[in-house]
Amino acid sequence: KTPGSTAVLGIWRNGKEFERKVVLGERHTGQSRSSAFSGEQNEMSLGLTVRPISEEERRELSLPKDEGLLIVGITSGKPAAEADLRNGDVILKANLKPVNSAEALARIVKEEGIKRGSIMLQIQRRGNTYFRTVLLSR
């Protein structure tokens, strides 16, 4: 079926069967819309894979227009994992600057993070906002 078409779902819950009509949305695969982010090539790696936030996700999460990268992959043992970043977290800002693309995040890490040895990320997790300091490996 194509995006925008209607489908009927059969649902089995608590011993009862229900049918619900749903309008299909567009599928966003992790491969085509995600960007593996590793900071400066071979010099340091955050161990983080991100993708832009869709307009639908932005509305659901009440995010500002120019902020937001969804974390879709964390490599264990890398700085992102050690900073307690998780799949599903939304990166709002890096060093207090809004980010909405892997390139914007990479630029901030390259221009500011390397000098300091760390980067501060403002994230949203389940409706709460947190700050995480990610120590950069060298």
Side-chain angles (χ1 to χ4, degrees):
K1 298 218 173 211
T2 60
S5 64
T6 302
V8 178
L9 296 179
I11 302 168
W12 182 265
R13 181 178 229 170
N14 296 327
K16 297 180 183 175
E17 189 173 348
F18 300 91
E19 284 190 354
R20 295 289 185 254
K21 289 184 180 179
V22 296
V23 177
L24 301 178
E26 193 169 328
R27 181 179 177 195
H28 298 288
T29 65
Q31 294 296 325
S32 63
R33 308 233 341 144
S34 299
S35 297
F37 174 73
S38 60
E40 213 165 87
Q41 297 296 334
N42 301 324
E43 197 170 316
M44 55 192 256
S45 175
L46 295 180
L48 187 62
T49 305
V50 298
R51 72 163 172 82
I53 302 285
S54 71
E55 286 305 314
E56 183 178 329
E57 292 166 328
R58 188 174 304 288
R59 280 191 303 277
E60 289 175 8
L61 298 170
S62 301
L63 295 174
K65 186 163 182 73
D66 294 331
E67 296 180 15
L69 281 175
L70 182 66
I71 298 176
V72 295
I74 299 286
T75 304
S76 62
K78 293 288 188 174
E82 292 171 6
D84 191 33
L85 293 174
R86 303 176 188 169
N87 288 332
D89 286 351
V90 176
I91 300 172
L92 301 172
K93 296 181 182 179
N95 285 356
L96 302 178
K97 295 180 178 134
V99 292
N100 58 12
S101 70
E103 294 78 18
L105 181 58
R107 187 173 40 258
I108 292 169
V109 170
K110 182 178 179 181
E111 293 173 0
E112 300 178 23
I114 293 174
K115 294 175 194 172
R116 296 179 181 167
S118 65
I119 189 152
M120 182 180 65
L121 300 178
Q122 180 181 353
I123 64 166
Q124 182 175 326
R125 179 183 294 158
R126 296 183 182 164
N128 296 310
T129 302
Y130 301 94
F131 288 91
R132 295 287 186 257
T133 300
V134 181
L135 300 175
L136 303 175
S137 61
R138 295 179 186 233

